[in-house]
Amino acid sequence: MGMGAGTLTLSACGLIPPASRFANPTTAPVILTPLASIPVSLAVDLTAGRTTLPIFSGAETPVWRYQSAVREGGAESIQTLSNSYLGPIFRVKIGQRVQVRLKNDLPDPTIIHWHGLLIPEEMDGHPRYAIAPGESFEYDFQVINRAGMYWFHPHSHQLTAPQVYYGLAGLFIVSDDEEAALGLPAGEYDLPLVIQDRIFDSQNEMVYLANGMMDSMIGFLGDTILVNGAPNAALDVKASAYRLRLLNGSNSRIYKLAWQDGTPLTVIATDGGLLEAPVTRGYITLAPGERVELWVDFSERTGSEMRLVSLPFSGFDNGGGMMGGGFSLPNGAPFDILRLIVGEKGADVLPLPAKLSNIARHRAEDAVNRNNPRSFTLAMQGMAHTINGSVFEMDSVARNEIVQLGDLEIWEFANLEGGGGGMGMGMMNMQMPHPMHIHGVQFQILGRELAQGNELIYQELSSGFVDDGWKDTVLVMPGEKVQVLVRFENYAGTFLYHCHNLEHEDAGMMRNYKIEI
Ligand code: C2O
Ligand code: CU
Ligand code: CU
C-alpha cells in the first residue's frame, strides 16, 4: 500500500486522527482501517499481583508479576517464562489487533506502558490512567510497528521504579514479512534475554534503595545480575546460529556487553527493529530501556562455553565517594551475565543476509525546525534532575512541548551534568548519564557532540553505541548533546518523554509533550 494513502481511523476511544498526509517510514505498510472493523487476533488477561518464586535455594522470593491468560487467539502468541517474575512474551504480527485486560491485584495503583509501540495516547499508559487496586483497564490497539522487540512495564506516578524492580515487565515481539523473508534464526534459535540487576538479602528477598537518598539520586544499582529473572544464568544451546534479543530492563545500570573471548558482536537490530545491514562492535553499550539484537554462530563451538559479560569501565564521578553505602556495585563494575553452553549440532546455519531491511532516512534539512532544534537541557537542580528546569507535572505541557502532527523535528538533549565542563550545580558536581526516551514515536539519531573535559569516561563507552537504526531511547552521556530526528506521525495526543533511569523518572525527570493536529 502506498505511503500516506491511508486514513488513520484506528482508536479505541473514537478519536479520529486526520488523514495521514505524510510518508510513514516507521511502519511497514499496514491496512489502516477502523479498529472496530479489525478482527481481534489476541485477547489476553494480565493480572498484576504478588506471589513468591524459587529464585535461590531456600526461601522463596516475594515478587510482583503479570499473570497471563489467553482469552482469544492462538496460545502461541503468549509465551511464559517458567519460574520467572518477568511477564509474558507477546509474539504478534504487524497489523494485528490486540486486546489486553489489565487487572490490578497490587496494593498500589498501576498502569501498563507499551514501550516503543505506536499506539494512541489512551492506550499508552500515562500515569493519569493508573488504576486503583482491584480495578481493571482495557487496552485495545492495532500493532503498526515494524518487526522488533518492544516491551511493557508499569508507569504509575512515582511508582514505576519499584514496580519494575519487584518484577513487573514483559516483552512484546512484533514480526513482519520483510523480516520473515530473511530466514533469521527462529523458534528455539530466537532467544529474548532481559538483563537486570537486583540486591537480595539473606532471606532471599529483594532489597530496594538500600543506600537511601543516594540510590534515588544516582539510580538503583544492584550486585546480582539476572537474565530473564534468573541469577547465574546459563543456557544450553545447540551448535547453530542464534538470534539473541537483549533488553536492558535494569532500573539504572548501564552494561558494556561483550563476549568474554573478544569475539566481536554482530548487531542486527536496535530498539525499533532491524538495521539496514548488520554492524560489528567490540562491545555494546546498553542503557536502561534500550534493546539490541545479536546474531551469533555457535556452529563450530560444540563442547565449549561462550560467556556474555559486562566489561569494566571507570564509572561516573558522582560527587566524590558518595557511593559509600556499600550495598551495591557502581556502574562500571564487571559482571558475568550469561553462560551459553554449546552442545550438539543444531539447525543448519544460513548465512546472515548482508541487507536486513529498508530504513527511510529522515533528513535534517526536512525538519521544520532545522535551524533551531528543540532543545531539552538535562541538569541537576537541588536534589532533582530536571528537564529545562522543570520536573514532571501530571497535566501540564509547556509552550516548547507542543508539536504538530506530521512534523519532522530535531530534538536535542543536552546533558549538562558533566564533570569537566564546570557544570556542577550547587554543592555537587555529578556526572550523570541519562537514557532519554520518547513515547509514541521511533526516532533516528542525527548526531552527538561532547563538551570538552568529558572525554575520559566517554571514550570507554562510545564505540559501543549503535546509532544506525530506529531508536526510542538514547543514552546521553555526561557533557554530551545528542540530536535526534523525530516525526510525530501517528496519533495526536499527550505523550511522555523522560529519562529511563527509573529513579530519575520517578523523581520527576519526565515531562509531557503534546502532538497537536
Ligand atoms: Cu519504558 Cu515511559 O517508559
Ligand atoms: Cu516508553
Ligand atoms: Cu537520568
Side-chain angles (χ1 to χ4, degrees):
M1 172 179 173
M3 294 290 193
T7 299
L8 206 58
T9 53
L10 47 140
S11 164
C13 302
L15 182 114
I16 309 216
S20 183
R21 63 202 139 83
F22 34 80
N24 188 7
T26 310
T27 57
V30 287
I31 297 162
L32 301 169
T33 40
L35 192 62
S37 69
I38 303 169
V40 176
S41 298
L42 179 65
V44 182
D45 289 331
L46 285 185
T47 304
R50 293 179 287 185
T51 184
T52 64
L53 288 175
I55 296 179
F56 299 94
S57 60
E60 293 208 344
T61 300
V63 298
W64 291 16
R65 181 167 66 156
Y66 296 116
Q67 197 77 261
S68 58
V70 176
R71 261 188 291 132
E72 213 178 310
E76 72 286 347
S77 303
I78 290 286
Q79 184 187 336
T80 52
L81 296 161
S82 59
N83 277 334
S84 175
Y85 54 79
L86 286 170
I89 301 171
F90 286 71
R91 287 195 181 259
V92 301
K93 290 200 185 82
I94 188 168
Q96 289 187 331
R97 178 177 172 192
V98 175
Q99 292 181 336
V100 175
R101 179 181 301 145
L102 169 67
K103 168 119 201 299
N104 183 3
D105 273 355
L106 300 170
D108 291 319
T110 197
I111 193 71
I112 289 177
H113 165 58
W114 308 91
H115 181 128
L117 289 191
L118 309 169
I119 51 180
E121 169 202 310
E122 301 86 353
M123 300 289 113
D124 193 56
H126 191 284
R128 70 178 172 277
Y129 294 112
I131 51 170
E135 290 182 350
S136 297
F137 190 97
E138 306 277 347
Y139 294 91
D140 189 355
F141 54 81
Q142 189 188 18
V143 176
I144 61 169
N145 285 71
R146 69 202 290 264
M149 186 170 82
Y150 309 92
W151 65 298
F152 60 97
H153 58 78
H155 222 294
S156 43
H157 187 48
Q158 298 183 329
L159 291 172
T160 296
Q163 293 190 356
V164 172
Y165 185 78
Y166 289 116
L168 295 172
L171 298 171
F172 197 100
I173 296 176
V174 178
S175 62
D176 63 20
D177 292 343
E178 182 188 47
E179 180 194 59
L182 296 172
L184 293 171
E188 65 172 299
Y189 302 100
D190 171 353
L191 299 177
L193 301 165
V194 182
I195 306 170
Q196 295 174 310
D197 60 337
R198 298 286 183 269
I199 296 176
F200 296 90
D201 67 14
S202 55
Q203 266 67 254
N204 294 341
E205 294 193 13
M206 290 185 191
V207 180
Y208 184 56
L209 299 186
N211 302 302
M213 268 312 287
M214 278 324 292
D215 271 1
S216 355
M217 196 178 318
I218 292 166
F220 171 89
L221 293 163
D223 59 9
T224 303
I225 302 294
L226 300 104
V227 176
N228 292 349
N232 301 312
L235 272 178
D236 289 317
V237 294
K238 294 196 174 139
S240 183
Y242 279 80
R243 176 180 193 169
L244 306 183
R245 306 185 189 239
L246 309 178
L247 159 68
N248 181 351
S250 309
N251 283 33
S252 91
R253 182 173 297 282
I254 294 167
Y255 299 94
K256 183 173 179 177
L257 298 171
W259 294 116
Q260 101 287 349
D261 67 355
T263 302
L265 301 139
T266 303
V267 185
I268 59 170
T270 54
D271 304 345
L274 292 169
L275 300 172
E276 285 180 297
V279 301
T280 304
R281 292 284 188 275
Y283 67 87
I284 289 161
T285 304
L286 201 66
E290 287 185 306
R291 287 86 72 205
V292 77
E293 299 188 22
L294 307 178
W295 182 89
V296 57
D297 183 2
F298 298 127
S299 60
E300 304 295 318
R301 293 180 183 259
T302 297
S304 72
E305 183 179 302
M306 288 274 276
R307 266 185 299 132
L308 187 67
V309 299
S310 189
L311 297 172
F313 54 95
S314 301
F316 303 94
D317 179 3
N318 296 127
M322 294 180 54
M323 283 296 297
F327 294 107
S328 51
L329 291 172
N331 252 321
F335 286 105
D336 273 359
I337 292 178
L338 175 66
R339 290 189 302 133
L340 295 146
I341 302 145
V342 187
E344 89 240 19
K345 187 180 177 318
D348 288 342
V349 176
L350 300 174
L352 178 62
K355 176 162 189 268
L356 296 170
S357 75
N358 288 304
I359 293 183
R361 291 276 145 202
H362 291 324
R363 298 185 318 164
E365 54 269 41
D366 296 335
V368 294
N369 64 346
R370 59 194 164 275
N371 299 317
N372 184 24
R374 198 179 286 274
S375 91
F376 300 94
T377 297
L378 315 175
M380 184 138 204
Q381 286 181 310
M383 299 292 269
H385 301 286
T386 58
I387 302 176
N388 283 342
S390 298
V391 292
F392 182 61
E393 298 161 277
M394 188 67 81
D395 298 303
S396 88
V397 179
R399 205 162 352 135
N400 68 328
E401 293 171 325
I402 298 173
V403 302
Q404 295 301 310
L405 185 68
D407 278 359
L408 177 70
E409 291 207 359
I410 302 174
W411 278 28
E412 176 181 276
F413 298 108
N415 184 351
L416 302 187
E417 296 181 347
M423 290 312 302
M425 300 288 218
M427 39 178 256
M428 268 172 280
N429 188 27
M430 308 267 282
Q431 255 191 327
M432 294 296 313
H434 298 293
M436 296 305 295
H437 169 50
I438 313 178
H439 285 214
V441 293
Q442 292 284 331
F443 54 76
Q444 292 175 1
I445 295 171
L446 175 60
R448 297 171 175 268
E449 191 185 308
L450 190 69
Q452 257 184 20
N454 298 284
E455 293 81 1
L456 246 56
I457 176 78
Y458 196 79
Q459 284 160 2
E460 291 188 61
L461 292 174
S462 58
S463 37
F465 300 150
V466 186
D467 287 350
D468 312 62
W470 289 107
K471 297 282 292 169
D472 55 48
T473 306
V474 61
L475 180 60
V476 187
M477 288 282 284
E480 189 180 34
K481 273 184 197 168
V482 179
Q483 290 193 339
V484 306
L485 279 162
V486 51
R487 192 186 294 280
F488 305 94
E489 60 189 335
N490 297 300
Y491 301 98
T494 301
F495 293 88
L496 296 160
Y497 66 104
H498 60 87
C499 178
H500 220 286
N501 176 319
L502 297 182
E503 283 70 33
H504 292 184
E505 173 185 340
D506 277 354
M509 198 174 199
M510 171 160 82
R511 296 284 304 169
N512 289 321
Y513 78 97
K514 190 169 182 203
I515 305 176
E516 285 189 346
I517 296 170

